[in-house]
Amino acid sequence: MALTYEWKVLGLKKVSTELANDVIIGVSWTVTGTDEDGNSGTFDGTTPFKPQDVDLANFVPYAELDHDTVIGWIQAEVVGDYKIHVDQEIQRQIDSAKSLIVDVHSSQFPWVQAE
């Protein structure tokens, strides 16, 4: 089954440097994967960024940041083995939710008629 993913930014860390003010140096985030049956799993992560790696030609001032831009930065880092790990953890949670053992009370047995 294909999963639908929803990414959310939970927090930002910023610092002022010689190059620019309010440079983002860390993002706390979560991604939730949901299958076609509505079962979901969530992975929380933190992505660090090095201030010295700021591309001044493409620098976005803090006041002009938006959710999609920051999510794009995160998704550019969550690749390869890390992406596989994130996807596997979400799928593990979904699979676990599907296989939960449910205690059924005797009044709920299929052969017991409702009164």
Side-chain angles (χ1 to χ4, degrees):
M1 279 187 181
L3 299 182
T4 302
Y5 292 95
E6 179 181 13
W7 294 76
K8 291 183 183 177
V9 175
L10 302 177
L12 300 172
K13 285 187 179 182
K14 63 182 183 170
V15 66
S16 292
T17 70
E18 300 168 352
L19 301 174
N21 291 326
D22 297 331
V23 175
I24 302 301
I25 59 168
V27 180
S28 297
W29 52 270
T30 188
V31 59
T32 300
T34 305
D35 70 11
E36 296 155 352
D37 296 325
N39 300 300
S40 63
T42 301
F43 186 92
D44 296 330
T46 303
T47 301
F49 298 102
K50 297 177 183 174
Q52 63 269 26
D53 292 342
V54 170
D55 177 4
L56 291 178
N58 294 306
F59 182 77
V60 179
Y62 183 78
E64 296 175 22
L65 284 176
D66 60 34
H67 186 261
D68 290 341
T69 298
V70 177
I71 292 299
W73 296 345
I74 296 164
Q75 290 174 336
E77 298 294 320
V78 180
V79 296
D81 288 343
Y82 188 31
K83 173 85 166 82
I84 291 168
H85 170 71
V86 169
D87 290 345
Q88 286 175 339
E89 178 58 24
I90 290 171
Q91 188 63 56
R92 185 196 63 72
Q93 290 176 26
I94 291 171
D95 293 344
S96 178
K98 287 181 179 182
S99 65
L100 286 178
I101 297 172
V102 178
D103 289 325
V104 180
H105 189 270
S106 62
S107 65
Q108 298 170 319
F109 292 161
W111 57 85
V112 175
Q113 296 183 6
E115 297 179 13

